[in-house]
Amino acid sequence: LQITVKDIEDFEKSYKDSEEELADIKAAYVDFEGDMDRIMESVLCVDYTDEPRIRKILEKAIDSGEVPSYKGFVKESKQKMMARKRRAEKEAREAEKTKDELGLGGEDDLKALIQSRNKDRKREMDDFLAQLEAKYGNNTKKGSKKTAAKKGKK
């Protein structure tokens, strides 16, 4: 089963403003006791531009008594809100930069990104194994003599 960018976009369209999203937003609100940073991180398919919409959903749920009113949400400082927005904008810029650096833009974006990450992981693993070999590689002769000696006694 191959997932394409279109599949993700289709899911996003059907998920946003759905009953499922509404339930997820309320659950995250309760789980994190109104901490918007954590709510925004945990709800699927949202970015910082969705925050006003999510805030409205939660305010409506609080007013109707569906969820409790948490101080962390109701009295969140403007500074915290702005910091979250700046952080999200910075991440978006970095993602764009990475996308450009990797030459992504078409349908194979995800595939190329995964392959480049896999190469990085393989390189890290090779480095790690080389370090282990350098550190413990000299002791292999001693180890083989011991095992040979034990075999001889039996």
Side-chain angles (χ1 to χ4, degrees), residues 19-30:
E19 284 300 313
E20 187 182 358
E21 185 195 40
L22 211 66
D24 290 348
I25 291 169
K26 290 176 195 170
Y29 171 80
V30 173

Side-chain angles (χ1 to χ4, degrees), residues 71-104:
K71 197 189 278 184
F73 176 78
V74 182
K75 295 189 176 171
E76 184 181 49
S77 71
K78 287 271 181 222
Q79 286 173 316
K80 190 175 177 201
M81 215 180 286
M82 290 309 293
R84 181 170 47 253
K85 185 179 177 188
R86 280 195 301 271
R87 201 166 50 241
E89 286 171 342
K90 183 179 175 218
E91 285 170 7
R93 281 194 304 272
E94 286 171 0
E96 273 302 309
K97 190 177 162 200
T98 303
K99 199 169 135 184
D100 293 342
E101 283 171 3
L102 294 172
L104 303 175

Side-chain angles (χ1 to χ4, degrees), residues 3-114:
I3 295 175
T4 64
V5 174
K6 188 183 182 311
D7 293 335
I8 295 168
E9 287 168 355
D10 290 347
F11 170 76
E12 199 171 323
K13 280 180 195 147
S14 67
Y15 180 75
K16 279 197 175 174
D17 296 315
S18 68
E19 284 300 313
E20 187 182 358
E21 185 195 40
L22 211 66
D24 290 348
I25 291 169
K26 290 176 195 170
Y29 171 80
V30 173
D31 289 347
F32 302 126
E33 297 184 357
D35 182 343
M36 267 315 263
D37 286 342
R38 296 179 71 191
I39 294 167
M40 292 298 291
E41 284 170 11
S42 70
V43 177
L44 296 173
C45 303
V46 299
D47 63 37
Y48 69 97
T49 59
D50 291 302
E51 187 171 335
R53 182 177 66 85
I54 288 171
R55 208 165 258 291
K56 279 191 186 109
I57 290 168
L58 291 171
E59 285 164 358
K60 194 174 164 192
I62 292 167
D63 293 343
S64 66
E66 294 173 65
V67 294
S69 175
Y70 290 115
K71 197 189 278 184
F73 176 78
V74 182
K75 295 189 176 171
E76 184 181 49
S77 71
K78 287 271 181 222
Q79 286 173 316
K80 190 175 177 201
M81 215 180 286
M82 290 309 293
R84 181 170 47 253
K85 185 179 177 188
R86 280 195 301 271
R87 201 166 50 241
E89 286 171 342
K90 183 179 175 218
E91 285 170 7
R93 281 194 304 272
E94 286 171 0
E96 273 302 309
K97 190 177 162 200
T98 303
K99 199 169 135 184
D100 293 342
E101 283 171 3
L102 294 172
L104 303 175
E107 186 61 29
D108 296 323
D109 287 4
L110 210 51
K111 199 175 184 181
L113 191 61
I114 290 168

